């Protein structure tokens, strides 16, 4: 079997790994790169607007024979781990005859992104899989595993073929709301793994103040008990674990969680997959209608009206502001700023710190203090060690990391350092 990391051997984002047997070829993820060669952040919106040939020339699209739409398909399948664009964001360029395998939750969130124009991938070739149920694809037997990650319904994959067993971790952690998945994997790991392709996003990063998603919930509760303040919370609308933590903290402190229509749409899309995901018609939930392109799209497609029963007006917010928590959006904060309605307000920033600079000037201008309350969606170093100790692979292959050279010291001597685009015989 031959392994080629087309991108991800020495960077976070843009993941794409190929496995080739005598008669079959599969890809593990096919994501947008997040950074350039100098680790400077890329404008991913500009990337996806360019032609395939332009992206191939610039190296954003990997040169993989039989993958793209102008040639006969030679790739048997693409295995997608989770619905983050750095793992699926280039799928719109592939040959539509190539099946893409993913979880039901992953499919649902990519459908949301397609509906709102965040991705060009139209999902015409998707096959949904169930965890722990093996399936065959060519020479390969593939078993999906559910893992704990900030990406909803995330998967890892066990791939068996030609006498080799490869475990691809995807992105995972052991400290989220689904940490039981991590704990169960440690208790009952896949056996006799020859190669563990292991993410290391947190290598070289500070762990931060908070350990677990439950710590986040407890911190939010302590903040929300302040009976004088209005709180804005800045977090991803697709970080379902975080939205659940915010809602639970609101419920326990008798505050109402005010969403924008887009976030309400995301949660509504997932309600068939889990009864524990908060919904717009639950107690302590309201929706503040903001006039943006997302709301316009929902109105055009007749999907906005269903949320009308939960609508809350600006005036109603003002009347009960110390009993509310508002999901931050650009237009929501702009409206409150223009109306000079941000006195005695605090922003809780619950995203990767790298995005904070984009909005910091606004909040500083309005003299709104910012409190950071966040944990990573990726495994801490001690979790990586526990993971490796449980699986006991013969070899570790670094992936989705800026520091592959640190793996041998942190995780053991049996580390195979692979360069991007370099085929390796396993």
């Amino acid at each position: 079997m031959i392994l080629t990391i087309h991108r991800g051997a020495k960077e976070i984002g843009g993941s794409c790994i190929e496995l080739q047997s005598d008669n079959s070829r599969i890809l593990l993820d096919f994501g947008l790169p997040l950074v350039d060669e100098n680790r400077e952040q890329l404008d991913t919106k500009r990337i996806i607007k360019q032609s395939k040939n332009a992206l191939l020339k610039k190296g954003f699209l990997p040169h993989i024979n039989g993958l793209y739409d102008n040639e006969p398909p030679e790739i048997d399948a693409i295995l997608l781990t989770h619905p983050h664009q750095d793992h699926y964001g280039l799928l719109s360029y592939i040959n539509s005859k190539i099946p893409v395998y993913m979880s039901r939750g992953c499919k649902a969130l990519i459908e949301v992104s397609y509906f709102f124009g965040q991705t060009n991938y139209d999902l015409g070739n998707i096959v949904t899989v169930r965890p722990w149920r093996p399936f065959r694809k060519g020479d390969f037997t593939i078993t999906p595993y559910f893992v704990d990650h900030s990406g909803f319904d995330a998967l890892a994959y066990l791939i068996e073929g030609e006498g080799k067993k490869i475990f691809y971790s995807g992105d995972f952690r052991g400290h989220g709301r689904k940490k039981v998945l991590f704990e169960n994997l440690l208790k009952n790991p896949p056996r006799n793994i020859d190669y563990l392709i292991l993410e290391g996003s947190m290598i070289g990063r500070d762990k931060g103040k908070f350990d677990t998603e439950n710590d986040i919930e407890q911190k939010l509760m302590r903040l929300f008990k302040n009976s004088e303040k209005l709180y804005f919370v800045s977090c991803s609308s697709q970080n379902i674990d975080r939205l659940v933590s915010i809602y639970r903290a609101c419920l326990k402190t008798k505050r109402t969680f005010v969403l924008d229509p887009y976030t309400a749409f995301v949660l509504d899309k997932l309600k068939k997959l889990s009864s524990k995901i908060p919904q717009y018609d639950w107690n302590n939930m309201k929706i503040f209608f903001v006039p943006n392109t997302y709301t316009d799209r929902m109105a055009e497609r007749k999907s906005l009206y269903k949320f009308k029963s939960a609508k809350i007006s600006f005036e109603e917010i003002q009347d009960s502001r110390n009993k509310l928590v508002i999901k931050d959006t650009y237009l929501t904060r702009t409206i409150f700023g223009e109306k000079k309605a941000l006195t005695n307000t605090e922003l809780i920033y619950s995203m990767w710190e790298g995005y904070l600079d984009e909005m910091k000037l606004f909040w500083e201008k309005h003299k709104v203090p910012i409190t950071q309350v966040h944990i990573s969606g990726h495994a801490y170093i001690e979790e990586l060690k526990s993971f490796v100790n449980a699986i006991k692979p013969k070899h570790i292959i670094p992936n989705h990391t800026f520091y592959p050279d640190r793996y041998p010291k942190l995780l053991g001597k049996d580390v195979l350092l692979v360069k991007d685009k370099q085929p390796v015989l396993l």
Side-chain angles (χ1 to χ4, degrees):
M1 189 185 303
I2 297 173
L3 173 140
T4 305
I5 298 180
H6 292 283
R7 184 167 44 234
K10 55 181 175 54
E11 68 182 276
I12 295 173
S15 297
C16 180
I17 300 170
E18 180 179 348
L19 291 175
Q20 180 178 355
S21 67
D22 284 342
N23 304 298
S24 305
R25 295 168 63 200
I26 61 174
L27 294 184
L28 311 176
D29 287 326
F30 196 60
L32 268 170
L34 299 179
V35 296
D36 60 21
E37 292 181 354
N38 299 316
R39 299 185 186 173
E40 297 292 330
Q41 188 173 340
L42 291 169
D43 185 348
T44 55
K45 291 181 180 179
R46 286 188 178 183
I47 292 176
I48 61 176
K49 291 180 179 179
Q50 298 180 48
S51 69
K52 181 194 69 179
N53 288 337
L55 295 181
L56 283 168
K57 186 176 181 179
K58 294 176 181 178
F60 293 137
L61 276 175
H63 290 270
I64 301 175
N65 293 331
L67 178 63
Y68 300 110
D69 55 11
N70 64 339
E71 54 188 334
E74 297 178 16
I75 302 297
D76 294 280
I78 298 175
L79 309 182
L80 203 66
T81 54
H82 64 280
H84 285 163
Q85 291 241 11
D86 65 318
H87 288 257
Y88 82 86
L90 294 175
L91 284 177
S92 60
Y93 297 95
I94 70 169
N95 191 308
S96 60
K97 295 180 180 179
I98 298 172
V100 183
Y101 292 77
M102 63 185 73
S103 69
R104 293 185 300 158
C106 182
K107 178 177 183 287
L109 286 182
I110 295 178
E111 286 175 342
V112 168
S113 296
Y114 182 73
F115 179 84
F116 288 104
Q118 299 163 346
T119 178
N120 295 324
Y121 178 49
D122 65 4
L123 298 98
N125 50 347
I126 282 180
V127 181
T128 56
V129 298
R130 296 296 182 103
W132 308 293
R133 293 186 184 179
F135 62 93
R136 290 282 299 180
K137 199 65 191 176
D139 292 340
F140 298 106
T141 298
I142 300 159
T143 306
Y145 283 68
F146 264 151
V147 293
D148 179 26
H149 181 47
S150 56
F152 186 73
D153 245 17
L155 297 173
Y157 288 98
L158 171 63
I159 303 108
E160 301 174 78
E162 297 189 334
K164 301 292 183 182
K165 297 178 74 172
I166 297 163
F167 195 81
Y168 176 47
S169 74
D171 290 359
F172 75 102
R173 62 181 176 180
H175 51 268
R177 290 207 162 273
K178 299 177 291 297
K179 65 179 182 178
V180 67
L181 295 171
F182 179 75
E183 294 166 353
N184 288 342
L185 194 56
L186 298 187
K187 293 175 185 176
N188 188 27
R191 306 291 180 181
N192 303 314
I193 298 300
D194 294 291
Y195 296 91
L196 170 61
I197 305 173
L198 182 65
E199 77 121 310
S201 304
M202 288 300 290
I203 295 175
R205 290 188 185 181
D206 181 24
K207 181 177 175 180
K209 294 181 180 179
F210 303 98
D211 289 332
T212 69
E213 194 68 37
N214 186 61
D215 294 331
I216 296 292
E217 181 183 327
Q218 296 301 316
K219 175 61 176 178
L220 292 174
M221 285 174 56
R222 291 194 291 272
L223 289 167
F224 295 167
K225 284 179 180 178
N226 185 322
S227 60
E228 303 300 323
K229 286 186 176 181
L230 168 67
Y231 287 96
F232 275 67
V233 179
S234 182
C235 70
S236 168
S237 295
Q238 293 197 13
N239 187 341
I240 307 305
D241 276 11
R242 191 59 40 81
L243 292 173
V244 170
S245 294
I246 297 166
Y247 175 76
R248 285 169 58 90
C250 286
L251 203 60
K252 293 175 181 178
T253 55
K254 298 182 179 179
R255 284 181 177 258
T256 296
F257 191 14
V258 180
L259 306 176
D260 58 288
Y262 169 70
T263 305
F265 185 97
V266 171
L267 297 176
D268 181 66
K269 185 72 174 177
L270 298 176
K271 68 181 179 182
K272 292 181 180 179
L273 300 179
S274 173
S275 61
K276 297 180 180 179
I277 295 175
Q279 297 297 322
Y280 71 95
D281 54 356
W282 286 17
N283 290 334
N284 296 66
M285 294 282 274
K286 292 292 181 181
I287 301 177
F288 182 58
F289 282 60
V290 290
N292 58 20
T293 56
Y294 289 173
T295 307
D296 291 343
R297 175 66 63 90
M298 292 169 66
E300 291 170 6
R301 302 294 178 88
K302 313 298 182 184
S303 56
L304 184 63
Y305 182 79
K306 72 180 297 180
F307 301 115
K308 188 176 180 181
S309 61
K311 182 178 181 179
I312 187 171
S313 68
F314 176 81
E315 290 73 23
E316 288 173 320
I317 291 175
Q318 288 299 91
D319 288 342
S320 57
R321 52 185 285 123
N322 64 330
K323 298 179 181 178
L324 304 177
V325 174
I326 299 177
K327 166 73 172 63
D328 177 50
T329 73
Y330 173 79
L331 267 175
T332 304
R333 79 177 82 108
T334 299
I335 290 169
F336 276 72
E338 290 175 348
K339 293 180 178 291
K340 303 185 185 305
L342 290 172
T343 55
N344 208 17
T345 297
E346 184 171 343
L347 172 70
I348 298 170
Y349 185 79
S350 195
M351 300 174 71
W352 177 54
E353 191 173 2
Y355 299 136
L356 182 55
D357 288 343
E358 298 177 14
M359 62 180 72
K360 187 181 292 186
L361 287 177
F362 172 89
W363 297 104
E364 289 177 346
K365 174 184 175 183
H366 292 278
K367 297 181 173 57
V368 173
I370 300 173
T371 299
Q372 295 189 54
V373 182
H374 185 57
I375 58 169
S376 176
H378 299 272
Y380 302 140
I381 291 174
E382 59 265 31
E383 291 169 341
L384 292 174
K385 291 179 178 178
S386 297
F387 195 70
V388 169
N389 289 336
I391 293 178
K392 296 180 174 60
K394 294 177 183 176
H395 306 280
I396 301 168
I397 299 175
N399 181 65
H400 205 274
T401 181
F402 288 126
Y403 302 102
D405 54 309
R406 298 188 187 182
Y407 276 55
K409 183 177 180 180
L410 289 172
L411 301 173
K413 297 179 180 179
D414 297 320
V415 174
L416 178 59
L417 295 176
V418 178
K419 295 181 180 179
D420 282 343
K421 305 179 183 65
Q422 175 188 333
V424 176
L425 181 64
L426 301 182

